[in-house]
Amino acid sequence: MTLGVTMSEPAILDTLAPPATEAEIINVGLLSAARIGARGVIARVSAFEGALPAAELERRLLELGFVEGATVEVLEEGLFGRDPIAVRLDDMRVAIRRREAAAIQIRFDPKGDA
Amino acid sequence: MTDTALAPTRLALVGNPNSGKTALFNALTGSRQKVANYAGVTVERKEGVLTSPSGRVIQVIDLPGTYSLRARSPDEAVTRDAVLGRLAGETPPDVIVCVADATNLRLVLRLALELKQVGRPFVLALNMFDIAQRQGLRIDLEGLSREIGAPIVTTVATRKRGIEELVARAEALADTMPVGENVWHEPSAAEIRHAHAEAQRILKAHVRPPERPDTWTSRIDSVLLHPVGGLLILSAVMFIMFQAVFAWATPVADLIEAGFTWLGGAVATVTPEGLLRSLLVDGLIAGVGSVLVFLPQILTVFFFILLLEDSGYMARAAFLMDRIMGAAGLHGRAFIPLLSSHACAIPGVMAARVIDQKHDRLTTILIAPLMTCSARIPVYTLIIGALIPRTTVWGFLNLQGLVMFGLYAAGILSGLVVATVIRTAFWRSASEPFMMELPTYRWPDPENVARNLMQRGMIFINRAGRIILPLMVLVWVLSTFPYPPQGATGPAIDYSFAGMIGHFIQPLLAPIGFNWQMSIALVPGMAAREVAVAALGTVYAVGNVDGAGQATLASILHTQWSLATGLSFLAWYVFAPQCVATLGVVKRETNGWLWPAVMFGYMFTLAYLASLATYWSAVALGWG
């Protein structure tokens, strides 16, 4: 089933492409390690085996809007272990535990506090 | 298309959570709604009826909110199956109304693209359009409509704007548009990514971002989600809610109780002495009263829950409590049901429906009755007053108060322990990740709150009441029949079935220090925990246990019970499921007798073990 968009669309290629420069590599990290104020663009969503099968967690993250190319910013942290975190995800806000946030790779904005 | 005039046209509302779907449902159908359960599952089925200006009867179904047709919970499975027309016992909808929050289109566009694949006619309702306009959000409705292949109607459900147009569009679709081929299948991760990209492209082409985006939500969040300040505010909110239950609900509940006592008395004067009078007064009137007496607490708790849900604060409360509740394997949202259970387990069990995931919800329901409800207070006060000396320990603590505190703490701790055991031993693999949208803050709509509140009350009376009332009558039958023989000297209850059961189970209860009077009192005490006080009054032949009677009973207990027995009885009341109303509500909320049976079994086991340990420890300490 196609929705009229293929993998060759520039928007997707752009976001899935590996970081080109060394400066960008340094700035890539996991959302699970991000602190308040850190912002950037989702570089990759790749889930791991955990409470849910990896493929299921990946789809859930995608369905909630954690998709390559979306912008994220860590807004709030919980009191205990700074967990969970509240993030701005494009134009909505989402709460997520750091455990699941480890499936989300971010290319952090160099100006951020990451 | 003459058929459409005969069979009602069926609309199904589908949308993301927090899209104002229920408000739209209320705006469409007004008070012509009914709430039931879908066959075989605990998912609530909300259906309403409206008559369109053209005279057509339209049935509207409000389906559970979802981000995708790929179902992850029983609620979402209902939505998927209803949309696909494969829900057992349900006629497929003629038209699907996809409800969108106009200020938050990204995710719903992806849902709309999925609906497009289903092939059924659908219309996109851009709800909360007034807020979008206020923010200066520009939406090219025609272009958007072309892209998703469905007509678009803008609505403001809370002000009933756009409703007539929505109905007209839906009617037109039902009449003119044939059901297309269903090419939907569960999307793979790659397909979800493609759909996102497609939604993104559509958004870019047809929606201009708001000129004045909402900044209030972020500002409020920086206060309400502050790690320390946020928890303090949450405590304050919960404190107010708890106070309200006692300050508003308890007087009304007392009034209802007094009203039914008065009614019982009035009926007693006009009916002849005998079985009929007893059935009417002690069975039926007292039974109906015992159902209605819960209503003020349920309504108060749900009033707060609805305000918290509709304003968007509930998700924040779950966020703040997630780590704490998560330590016991519970969901952050379990906090509010469990707190409500400190007033009464019944609204607590009903409030557990704020938890989406089945296992999280069941765990919460199972431990809710361990929280110290207000019906335990009379029992605790009586026993503590009778047996615990009013001395001061460590210079400033009142020993009686300390014991009371210990009982509360025992309830909470055992609840957390039981939850941990359930999650690690039985449902380990089912642990759900905590991920959810934190919706934009909004003012709750008074009409919606009122309507939903009324619905909760009616559900309790209609559904739970039908289970509770017969159980209450059963307890009455057990404590009344058979009558004592002529010239009997002991209290009448001693000769009844309750008395027989009490004497029968007494050997079983002897190891935990219970005498036969206590064993008997436990039987009518199944009606509700506080009834045990009255039942003890009856077996000790004190008569009325109010006021002076209570003091008399306390002094009898003081002389007849050892401290070990008293402590054992307290331990029993921390755990024992001495409340048929709770079991009835659990039956209604879980749609079967399995979970109330599990609850009954595990709580009695815990109660017995706790009393056994308490009694023998106390005896060993020389308090026997």
Side-chain angles (χ1 to χ4, degrees):
Chain A
M1 175 58 223
T2 64
L3 290 162
V5 181
T6 64
M7 286 298 281
S8 60
E9 283 270 335
I12 298 227
L13 263 189
D14 182 43
T15 54
L16 284 180
T21 67
E22 207 170 309
E24 274 177 5
I25 293 171
I26 292 166
N27 274 325
V28 172
L30 296 180
L31 179 60
S32 52
R35 299 292 309 276
I36 287 187
R39 59 171 85 187
V41 174
I42 298 182
R44 198 180 158 147
V45 179
S46 59
F48 43 85
E49 226 43 53
L52 292 175
E56 175 63 23
L57 178 60
E58 181 176 344
R59 287 201 280 184
R60 288 199 189 186
L61 288 167
L62 291 170
E63 279 164 354
L64 202 54
F66 285 104
V67 65
E68 287 82 2
T71 58
V72 283
E73 178 186 351
V74 180
L75 299 173
E76 312 287 342
E77 296 170 332
L79 176 60
F80 307 100
R82 303 182 181 281
D83 196 26
I85 51 173
V87 299
R88 187 197 307 283
L89 175 61
D90 281 335
D91 38 21
M92 59 189 266
R93 281 167 212 77
V94 174
I96 184 171
R97 281 187 194 146
R98 287 192 184 268
R99 210 179 120 76
E100 276 82 40
I104 301 161
Q105 255 181 47
I106 310 286
R107 192 176 309 125
F108 288 110
D109 187 340
K111 283 173 200 154
D113 303 332
Chain B
M1 284 267 152
T2 44
D3 281 2
T4 47
L6 301 169
T9 307
R10 296 171 58 87
L11 298 190
L13 303 189
V14 179
N16 292 163
N18 313 307
S19 57
K21 197 165 53 61
T22 301
L24 190 66
F25 175 70
N26 286 341
L28 279 166
T29 61
S31 54
R32 296 169 71 188
Q33 305 181 357
K34 60 177 182 204
V35 185
N37 267 355
Y38 285 101
V41 284
T42 55
V43 181
E44 211 156 72
R45 181 184 187 281
K46 285 177 89 172
E47 188 192 277
V49 176
L50 70 114
T51 314
S52 75
S54 66
R56 183 200 296 244
V57 177
I58 300 181
Q59 255 177 28
V60 188
I61 288 206
D62 184 16
L63 292 169
T66 185
Y67 291 103
S68 161
L69 288 184
R70 198 179 70 81
R72 303 164 305 180
S73 68
D75 289 53
E76 294 178 0
V78 162
T79 302
R80 177 198 62 203
D81 293 343
V83 166
L84 297 176
R86 41 163 121 125
L87 198 60
E90 301 273 335
T91 323
D94 298 303
V95 176
I96 295 165
V97 179
C98 180
V99 188
D101 170 356
T103 64
N104 189 5
L105 285 174
R106 194 176 306 267
L107 294 186
V108 78
L109 273 184
R110 211 179 52 68
L111 182 64
L113 291 175
E114 277 195 64
L115 287 176
K116 191 176 167 183
Q117 297 177 19
V118 172
R120 265 173 215 290
F122 79 102
V123 46
L124 182 67
L126 288 186
N127 195 26
M128 308 191 209
F129 197 68
D130 54 337
I131 301 175
Q133 280 179 316
R134 218 176 304 143
Q135 292 182 359
L137 190 82
R138 292 286 166 75
I139 305 173
D140 162 22
L141 296 176
E142 259 174 52
L144 192 58
S145 167
R146 226 176 15 250
E147 295 273 11
I148 62 166
I152 296 181
V153 180
T154 62
T155 58
V156 183
T158 49
R159 301 223 159 78
K160 307 218 169 29
R161 278 190 216 146
I163 302 303
E164 280 190 18
E165 199 197 336
L166 178 63
V167 171
R169 288 289 180 136
E171 277 189 288
L173 276 183
D175 290 340
T176 58
M177 189 147 152
V179 175
E181 191 197 352
N182 174 15
V183 291
W184 182 87
H185 63 114
E186 229 181 58
S188 68
E191 282 165 339
I192 299 173
R193 286 189 168 94
H194 286 182
H196 265 301
E198 172 75 353
Q200 179 70 17
R201 184 189 63 72
I202 296 174
L203 267 186
K204 257 203 176 128
H206 303 288
V207 181
R208 215 177 62 197
E211 289 158 5
R212 297 171 293 279
D214 159 63
T215 54
W216 277 108
T217 297
S218 295
R219 280 190 260 172
I220 298 172
D221 267 349
S222 66
V223 177
L224 294 188
L225 289 186
H226 184 273
V228 181
L231 278 172
L232 288 176
I233 294 170
L234 176 63
S235 314
V237 170
M238 292 299 108
F239 180 77
I240 293 169
M241 169 170 150
F242 211 60
Q243 282 297 308
V245 170
F246 286 99
W248 306 347
T250 312
V252 183
D254 290 347
L255 209 65
I256 292 176
E257 216 169 354
F260 276 89
T261 311
W262 175 86
L263 183 68
V267 170
T269 55
V270 296
T271 45
E273 168 86 54
L275 186 60
L276 177 70
R277 182 201 283 184
S278 182
L279 174 69
L280 281 178
V281 176
D282 302 326
L284 281 177
I285 294 176
V288 171
S290 65
V291 171
L292 292 184
V293 80
F294 291 114
L295 211 50
Q297 288 188 345
I298 289 170
L299 293 182
T300 312
V301 167
F302 270 95
F303 173 68
F304 277 89
I305 286 179
L306 287 169
L307 287 187
L308 297 182
E309 287 256 37
D310 287 8
S311 62
Y313 186 69
M314 186 66 94
R316 272 77 183 182
F319 177 88
L320 291 167
M321 292 309 293
D322 178 66
R323 194 61 191 255
I324 301 168
M325 305 305 287
L330 291 164
H331 191 276
R333 289 189 170 226
F335 177 63
I336 285 167
L338 292 181
L339 189 92
S340 314
S341 300
H342 280 93
C344 174
I346 287 163
V349 167
M350 289 173 74
R353 60 175 61 247
V354 300
I355 307 164
D356 303 321
Q357 295 304 327
K358 186 182 158 199
H359 288 125
D360 287 332
R361 183 165 164 224
L362 274 175
T363 311
T364 308
I365 288 177
L366 283 176
I367 65 166
L370 290 175
M371 305 299 123
T372 304
C373 66
S374 52
R376 284 177 174 97
I377 296 174
V379 182
Y380 288 174
T381 352
L382 173 73
I383 310 295
I384 289 175
L387 295 166
I388 307 290
R390 197 175 298 158
T391 50
T392 306
V393 283
W394 298 323
F396 64 100
L397 286 173
N398 174 313
L399 184 61
Q400 292 187 332
L402 201 63
V403 171
M404 193 67 146
F405 173 78
L407 293 168
Y408 269 84
I412 296 171
L413 283 178
S414 58
L416 295 181
V417 169
V418 169
T420 312
V421 170
I422 293 175
R423 296 316 302 244
T424 49
F426 303 108
W427 290 329
R428 186 183 206 123
S429 58
S431 132
E432 288 288 330
F434 174 84
M435 284 192 272
M436 63 180 184
E437 190 179 348
L438 297 170
T440 308
Y441 287 109
R442 299 188 200 290
W443 286 109
D445 176 43
E447 203 189 313
N448 262 318
V449 171
R451 191 177 301 286
N452 290 332
L453 197 57
M454 216 174 70
Q455 231 155 39
R456 280 305 126 208
M458 291 312 289
I459 287 173
F460 174 73
I461 294 174
N462 283 341
R463 311 234 127 212
R466 272 184 220 170
I467 307 165
I468 297 171
L469 185 59
L471 288 173
M472 291 291 184
V473 173
L474 176 71
V475 170
W476 168 79
V477 167
L478 290 178
S479 337
T480 310
F481 299 102
Y483 286 148
Q486 287 284 319
T489 49
I493 191 172
D494 201 8
Y495 303 95
S496 68
F497 292 121
M500 293 175 206
I501 297 172
H503 283 291
F504 180 74
I505 59 172
Q506 211 272 320
L508 195 68
L509 297 178
I512 63 172
F514 285 18
N515 55 34
W516 65 266
Q517 289 95 333
M518 293 161 79
S519 309
I520 291 177
L522 292 184
V523 181
M526 280 304 293
R529 290 184 175 85
E530 74 272 19
V531 173
V533 174
L536 282 173
T538 313
V539 277
Y540 281 110
V542 173
N544 191 355
V545 288
D546 287 342
Q550 173 121 22
T552 319
L553 180 59
S555 65
I556 292 175
L557 297 188
H558 184 71
T559 52
Q560 301 217 346
W561 289 15
S562 69
L563 180 56
T565 293
L567 291 175
S568 173
F569 197 67
L570 287 177
W572 179 266
Y573 265 86
V574 170
F575 297 103
Q578 294 274 159
C579 177
V580 290
T582 302
L583 296 168
V585 164
V586 172
K587 193 253 165 194
R588 140 78 194 157
E589 292 290 313
T590 60
N591 221 3
W593 284 109
L594 172 67
W595 294 107
V598 169
M599 178 181 278
F600 189 81
Y602 103 79
M603 289 181 76
F604 263 131
T605 311
L606 273 188
Y608 193 84
L609 294 177
S611 293
L612 193 69
T614 307
Y615 182 69
W616 289 104
S617 306
V619 168
L621 287 166
W623 297 338

